[in-house]
Structure formats: structure tokens, C-alpha cells
Amino acid sequence: MEEAKKIVTAINGGALKPIYFLMGDEPYYIDKIADYIAENVLTEAERGFNQMTIYGRDTSIDEVVSNAKRYPMMAEYQVVIVKEAQHLSRTIEQLVGYAENPQKTTVLVVCYKYKKLDKRKKLYKAIMKHGLLFESKKLYENQVADWIRRVLSGKGYKITPKAAALLVEFLGTDLSKINNELEKLFLVIDRQTEINPIHIEKHIGISKDFNNFELKKAVGEHNVEKATRIITYFGQNPKDNPFVLTISLLYNFFTQLLRYHGLTDRSSGQVAKALGVNPYFVNEYQIASKNYPMKRVSQIITKLRNLDLKGKGVGSQNMSQHDLLKELLAAIF
């Protein structure tokens, strides 16, 4: 996020690069930077003659270079944006000749999603010398809640840790998808209101009571009744609550609980750092550690591994999701 902000700040200051090569596994920032350049480098009047967007699937490196070498009409710059440029991966090194001597009046933006240039080759070195190379890295799941808070803070909003955790649990690490859902909240919630699980349930459609987050909490508290209600709901709504996500989350929870048992310093800050969780959730591990001694945690992890195989069809004889979930709770409790 900080690197993307620096790029935007430099563009606003008029420090344009002739090439912006945007690559990496996280498409969100690639799209954001490309869209910002498309909307801010040229005026609306200049764009008609001096801005074009082409797609990697429908073009070639020769065509990209040909367009980049044109001169702008009645403007200081022209902007050429190559979207989905990963479709040119087999021939992308042919761009090296242009990258070594780019047109100074052209801003060439290459959106190279889900792939990276080989740092050992000439194209990478030429872009580093004459243009700007931005790598958009995928966030780890334990980093996404913090990203959500920072995005909301930048727009004047706040969110509770539980609400952020709900979004991550159901939307994963796809920042574009999460951002789309946040945009919905901006339309209906004012900045003075802290976003909480009730808002998530009402406006995004994620149940605040029947979700993997609440199941994990119930399991940690050894609350058999609550956990049973949740898995019954999951069994009735299997498409919205796939078994693979449930068992993955619980497996990660017990793996982290095992690490918790091995910690000598169990202060809130140290636990949060060691487990890679928000300090808000440290209390869950403190409670669970009392209900599940280390030896029991090891046994549960082994059972969850075996159940994961059953969920994938290994020796399960096509068990229903509800039966798998009941066996899951039996393995834990």
C-alpha cells in the first residue's frame, strides 16, 4: 500500500515515468495504479486522441511498441495502457528494445498480473533503469484484516476486529472482492458509526451468528451446544459453508493453539506476534488452552488431518457434509 501511495504522489507531482511495469500476484493495486494513471495524467479533452487501452490477448509486442512510439497530438504526453499483459508472457522479453530507449512523451503502462519478470534478464534491468517496476504481492490471510482497517481509516471509517475477521473469513485474501463489499458499506453507513458484525450481516449478507469464526470460538470455549447449532446450520446450507473452509480454519486454530502451549511469554502482545493474530483474539487462545491441554491438541490435529482426507473422498464413501461436520465435532469434543 505504501509503495502504491508513493507512485501516486510522484504522478501528482509531475514526476512521470515513460514505463510503468505493474506485475505480481495481487491484481488490486495493479488495477488501482493503472486506473489512476488513466484518469489523471491527461485531461478529459486530451484523452480522445492521446490515450488508448489495449489487451494482451488481442495484441502483440510489435503492436504495443508501435503505439508507444507515436507522438501525442496537442498534448504533452500520450498514455498507452496494456491490460492483461500476462497473455504476452512468451514474448514479453521482446519489449527490451523499447524499454532501453523509451519514448519520452509516452507513458506506457503494462499490467502483468499473476506473473513476474525474470530479474536476471535484460527487460527487468532496462525497466529498472528507465522506468518504474512495481510488484504487487499477495497478502497473507493474517495481514488482510489490518489492510481493511487501513483502507477504512483512509476514508474516515472504523471497524471492529470481529467485523474485519468476518470479512476475511468469507471473502479470503481477494482485495478487489473485499473492496467491492466495503464500497457497499460506504453507501449506507456514515463515518461516525463503527462498522460491526451486525452491519456485515445486514448489508453484505454474512451471518454474524452462524459462521466459521463463531464455530471456532465455540470450539475454543468447549461450548458443545453452540457448536452443534452452527454445524447444523452449515449442514443445511452447504454451498455457503463448504467443509474444506471449516476444517482448514479449525486445523489452523489448533495448530496455533499448539504453538501457544509452547510459548514461555504469554503476554497479549507477544502471543499476538508469535501467532500472527490481532491482540483482540488472544483471549480465545487463553481460554482454549485451559480446555485443551497440549497432548489433547496434538491428538485433535491428527484427527483433523484424517477427516480432511475424508472430506476429499478418501475412504469416506461419499459422506454428506452434515455427517462430516458431526464427525468433526466428535473428533474435537
Side-chain angles (χ1 to χ4, degrees):
M1 179 183 283
E2 295 306 317
E3 192 176 350
K5 285 181 178 179
K6 288 179 182 178
I7 292 172
V8 169
T9 300
I11 292 170
N12 287 338
L16 287 169
K17 299 287 186 179
I19 302 175
Y20 289 86
F21 199 98
L22 315 174
M23 65 182 191
D25 295 323
E26 178 49 68
Y28 176 80
Y29 285 113
I30 292 175
D31 288 335
K32 281 290 185 182
I33 294 170
D35 290 345
Y36 189 85
I37 291 172
E39 295 166 7
N40 292 277
V41 170
L42 301 178
T43 66
E44 189 173 349
E46 291 171 335
R47 288 177 206 146
F49 291 107
N50 297 290
Q51 185 161 300
M52 66 164 54
T53 300
I54 51 183
Y55 291 83
R57 192 186 294 275
D58 305 319
T59 190
S60 65
I61 295 298
D62 286 342
E63 188 176 344
V64 170
V65 171
S66 177
N67 284 308
K69 285 186 174 180
R70 292 187 312 153
Y71 287 95
M73 295 179 61
M74 296 178 288
E76 188 176 356
Y77 295 100
Q78 70 151 344
V79 175
V80 179
I81 301 173
V82 186
K83 293 197 171 183
E84 310 298 336
Q86 64 271 17
H87 293 293
L88 296 168
S89 60
R90 292 183 179 180
T91 57
I92 195 69
E93 285 296 323
Q94 294 176 13
L95 189 61
V96 66
Y98 178 81
E100 289 175 336
N101 187 28
Q103 190 87 354
K104 301 301 182 184
T105 54
T106 294
V107 177
L108 174 63
V109 183
V110 183
C111 302
Y112 200 64
K113 296 178 180 178
Y114 315 111
K115 289 184 177 292
K116 294 184 286 186
L117 291 180
D118 188 332
K119 296 181 180 181
R120 300 167 297 179
K121 295 191 175 180
K122 289 183 178 181
L123 179 58
Y124 179 90
K125 295 173 182 176
I127 294 172
M128 289 293 289
K129 183 176 180 180
H130 300 288
L132 183 144
L133 196 144
F134 170 77
E135 183 177 351
S136 186
K137 297 179 180 178
K138 200 82 172 174
L139 294 184
Y140 293 110
E141 188 170 313
N142 63 4
Q143 297 174 311
V144 178
D146 184 57
W147 179 86
I148 291 171
R149 284 190 290 273
R150 285 191 289 163
V151 168
L152 290 173
S153 177
K155 295 181 180 292
Y157 287 86
K158 293 182 179 179
I159 188 169
T160 66
K162 186 173 179 180
L166 274 177
L167 287 172
V168 177
E169 180 192 336
F170 280 86
L171 301 175
T173 59
D174 187 330
L175 301 188
S176 297
K177 185 187 292 186
I178 294 172
N179 187 69
N180 289 340
E181 298 302 328
L182 293 179
E183 293 288 345
K184 294 178 185 178
L185 295 177
F186 297 152
L187 297 174
V188 293
I189 298 175
D190 59 57
R191 287 182 173 84
Q192 286 71 43
T193 304
E194 186 175 40
I195 298 169
N196 60 45
I198 295 174
H199 297 126
I200 302 298
E201 180 176 43
K202 182 178 180 180
H203 301 296
I204 297 180
I206 299 171
S207 173
K208 67 179 177 62
D209 297 316
F210 298 100
N211 55 70
N212 284 315
F213 177 79
E214 288 297 324
L215 177 61
K216 181 187 72 172
K217 186 176 180 182
V219 165
E221 294 171 350
H222 211 278
N223 188 332
V224 179
E225 183 182 349
K226 182 178 178 181
T228 302
R229 287 200 305 269
I230 294 172
I231 66 139
T232 300
Y233 176 86
F234 284 3
Q236 294 168 348
N237 302 273
K239 289 185 179 179
D240 295 330
N241 304 278
F243 180 74
V244 64
L245 292 183
T246 299
I247 195 164
S248 295
L249 181 136
L250 289 176
Y251 179 83
N252 289 337
F253 174 68
F254 279 102
T255 301
Q256 287 177 313
L257 186 56
L258 190 65
R259 293 176 62 193
Y260 176 89
H261 276 297
L263 295 175
T264 52
D265 183 352
R266 294 184 182 176
S267 61
S268 180
Q270 189 58 37
V271 171
K273 183 178 179 181
L275 302 187
V277 299
N278 189 293
Y280 175 85
F281 299 110
V282 168
N283 186 53
E284 292 185 12
Y285 294 92
Q286 293 170 338
I287 293 172
S289 69
K290 297 174 183 177
N291 292 320
Y292 303 94
M294 181 180 281
K295 185 177 179 180
R296 179 63 185 149
V297 173
S298 297
Q299 293 169 344
I300 290 171
I301 289 173
T302 300
K303 290 181 179 181
L304 292 181
R305 284 176 182 155
N306 294 333
L307 199 53
D308 181 47
L309 292 175
K310 280 190 177 182
K312 294 171 181 173
V314 180
S316 66
Q317 298 181 339
N318 298 318
M319 288 176 67
S320 70
Q321 175 157 316
H322 195 200
D323 286 339
L324 284 167
L325 288 165
K326 286 193 291 184
E327 189 168 333
L328 173 67
L329 288 195
I332 294 171
F333 292 135

